[in-house]
Amino acid sequence: MEFDPLREANEFRSQLASEKRRLAFLFGAGTSQSVGVEGLAGLTKAVGTDLKGDDRATYDALLGLDDTSNLETVLSRLRLCRELAGTNEDRKIDGVSGKHATILERRICRSIQERVGVEPPGGIVPHFTFAHWVKSLDRSFPVELFTTNYDILIERGFESAEAPYFDGFVGTVEPFFLITAVDSAATTLGYPPVPRNWLRLWKLHGSLNWRSRRDALTGVARIVRTSTAAPTTDEELIIYPSHQKYADSRRLPFLAYHDRLRHLVTSGETLLVVAGYSFSDQHLNEIIYQGLRSNNRLAVTALLFDKMSSEAVERNLLKPTLGSRNLTIYAPDGASVGGREGIWKEPKEAPPTPADNWPFWDTKTTHFTLGDFRQFVEFLRVFMGVRTPELPVSPVGTPEVAIAATSGAPVQSE
């Protein structure tokens, strides 16, 4: 079977513009990699080079426990060691004491903060453009954005565009996480805590600017949102969901955001657009796949950077969703629409002028390109009419938009 790129692009535009469904997005590491921020695979190697001595040996040992291990699985294992071994230096789990696990986890998180919390080589124009598009929407329900990224590129893009958003934190001096403000039930009974035209931003794996701190007056430990400065030696950077007991307050944001996603996909009429996500997080996958199975009013559109023919796409997405008619997949080399798979053919129409190119199609490679986040926001700009202010010229005389346009396309990684 063959799919016409122009027809599918127009259908996708119509779905994005429709007022009939709630609109939500799931952004993975590929959206940040598109502007040069390291993904999980690169970060796993880079953090290892930052560690020395016993820290490096322990990191490598935990990483080598199985073939699928990465930075996040190392963090999970360290937290499990800390929970089981406690503060007893003589008691060890996988050769790691609870004390060393605590110290090493914090050193790993500081390394992550230093490497991810940098100015992206490609700038933040794509995130800025996306923010302007969301800002222009007038919908009956708030737009919700879920992301697995630790960085704050989305927040920076929205603040540069002066587009309001809400992330579950309230306060001024040290904004703190308030679970009742995120609770799904509280936002569906007629009294949303914030205006509906504000984007809802839910960071499923935490953020570089989340810390675990004790209140100076009450002594109560809580999650606060701070600047992006590195955490102090006695602070914890709250990234990646902890596998500690449910009573641990550090899990509250992760639990609340995952519940929010589960509620969204299993009830009501919703369009979930997935971009930059490689479907390698099985916990998130199961939430999405359960929604596809149980809610026939859910439509999921996945914009893939990797090819349909890749082993990872076959294993993580195609096989688990076999027969799902409410899943649409757009990959560079093919598509799956209504449960039918096929390849791309040339668009039935040429662009308006010979100098133009369709923002979703590469004529040289004959690939569909919306899986590249930069191309996705260009599609929004051209097909959806996003208007953004003229961007300033950098000190070296190069507009930031040009930097973004010339940065190399990354390899997507969750």
Side-chain angles (χ1 to χ4, degrees), residues 27-35 149 275-277 371 373 410-414:
F27 285 173
T31 61
S32 296
Q33 287 181 270
S34 70
V35 293
N149 298 338
Y277 177 62
F373 184 62
V411 177
Q412 179 177 318
S413 173
E414 167 50 28

Side-chain angles (χ1 to χ4, degrees), residues 30-37 120-127 153 373-374 404 407 410:
T31 61
S32 296
Q33 287 181 270
S34 70
V35 293
V37 175
I124 62 168
V125 170
H127 301 79
L153 299 183
F373 184 62
R374 296 167 302 167
S407 64

Side-chain angles (χ1 to χ4, degrees), residues 21-135:
R21 293 172 170 165
R22 290 177 295 177
L23 178 61
F25 295 87
L26 172 60
F27 285 173
T31 61
S32 296
Q33 287 181 270
S34 70
V35 293
V37 175
E38 282 190 292
L40 185 57
L43 200 57
T44 298
K45 295 179 181 179
V47 168
T49 64
D50 292 339
L51 300 172
K52 308 299 180 185
D54 290 343
D55 289 342
R56 177 62 187 269
T58 301
Y59 180 83
D60 288 342
L62 294 176
L63 199 59
L65 288 178
D66 61 66
D67 295 336
T68 61
S69 292
N70 55 43
L71 175 65
E72 293 182 341
T73 53
V74 169
L75 286 175
S76 292
R77 287 164 180 159
L78 286 173
R79 289 162 182 169
L80 183 60
C81 289
R82 186 174 66 181
E83 181 184 1
L84 295 177
T87 58
N88 188 336
E89 292 190 48
D90 296 326
R91 186 179 182 187
K92 297 183 178 181
I93 307 296
D94 286 335
V96 186
S97 70
K99 182 177 180 180
H100 188 202
T102 300
I103 294 172
L104 180 54
E105 180 196 347
R106 293 181 181 178
R107 287 174 178 166
I108 290 173
C109 286
R110 279 198 293 273
S111 173
I112 293 171
Q113 199 277 337
E114 291 170 0
R115 289 186 171 275
V116 177
V118 297
E119 189 66 27
I124 62 168
V125 170
H127 301 79
F128 175 82
T129 304
F130 178 78
H132 260 281
W133 176 70
V134 172
K135 180 181 177 181

Side-chain angles (χ1 to χ4, degrees), residues 297-325:
R297 295 191 294 167
L298 169 69
V300 176
T301 297
L303 308 176
L304 301 186
F305 188 87
D306 293 332
K307 294 181 178 181
M308 289 270 284
S309 55
S310 72
E311 180 184 347
V313 171
E314 175 72 21
R315 179 182 65 251
N316 296 332
L317 181 59
L318 296 179
K319 286 186 177 179
T321 60
L322 189 65
S324 297
R325 297 180 59 83

